[in-house]
Amino acid sequence: MTEEFPPEAATIVQRHIEEEHGYLSWLNTQVDSIARGRLVLTIPYDEKLTNTVSPPTIHGGIAATLIDTAGGIALRTMFDNPLSGGVATINLNVNYLRRASGDLTAVADVVRAGGSVGVSTITVVSTDPEADEDVAARTTPATEWDDAVATGQGAYRLFRE
């Protein structure tokens, strides 16, 4: 069972991502859930994020942004005080599996949070824009989802205070 993340810290992280962070706020990034060692983020479909093909598909850089961001923030949840210190990406691997045409949801799980380096695995799924489905509410492990569009792993330098 996943240990509860302090609700007051979750509120601050959510507000920062959704309202105060320039780039993530511009992407309309939403925090779906946050727990110790696990984070779920969504970027809703927006035409400004698509490639110029017909039908439009989401640019792969948006999935990479979700992989990097979700992986790093998931590691912050492992800090004694998740609102102090910092995380910097030292290595990022992204595997694109198929095109995305709807909302993107990233599920990040911490593999290891060491003293100075941490590793997260992340799966990004895309909803069918015509379907009415809550991807983040699924109980099936992300690696088994048929709608995965990208997977990745990030290694991060941890700056603990």
Side-chain angles (χ1 to χ4, degrees):
M1 180 168 189
T2 306
E3 182 183 340
E4 185 178 344
F5 189 71
E8 61 280 356
T11 300
I12 291 169
V13 170
Q14 182 172 3
R15 184 178 61 242
H16 178 72
I17 291 171
E18 294 179 358
E19 300 171 17
E20 300 167 356
H21 189 286
Y23 180 56
L24 297 176
S25 300
W26 180 79
L27 290 172
N28 200 20
T29 308
Q30 301 164 5
V31 177
D32 297 327
S33 69
I34 186 167
R36 289 235 185 261
R38 184 177 179 87
L39 179 74
V40 180
L41 295 177
T42 295
I43 295 178
Y45 175 87
D46 190 316
E47 192 172 313
K48 71 184 176 196
L49 307 177
T50 62
N51 294 305
T52 55
V53 297
S54 184
T57 58
I58 305 294
H59 188 280
I62 304 305
T65 294
L66 271 174
I67 287 171
D68 188 24
T69 302
I73 295 172
L75 276 157
R76 287 186 72 101
T77 69
M78 302 300 290
F79 290 2
D80 290 337
N81 179 357
L83 302 176
S84 68
V87 175
T89 307
I90 55 177
N91 188 36
L92 185 67
N93 176 279
V94 178
N95 301 295
Y96 295 101
L97 306 174
R98 67 174 184 86
R99 294 178 179 182
S101 58
D103 298 349
L104 296 180
T105 298
V107 178
D109 291 298
V110 171
V111 174
R112 182 175 191 278
S116 62
V117 174
V119 176
S120 296
T121 59
I122 306 94
T123 299
V124 177
V125 298
S126 179
T127 58
D128 178 344
E130 304 299 319
D132 183 23
E133 179 180 21
D134 183 0
V135 175
R138 290 186 180 183
T139 57
T140 307
T143 55
E144 295 176 12
W145 291 352
D146 292 333
D147 46 9
V149 296
T151 62
Q153 185 176 59
Y156 305 85
R157 172 74 170 92
L158 307 178
F159 301 94
R160 298 172 186 261
E161 289 189 359

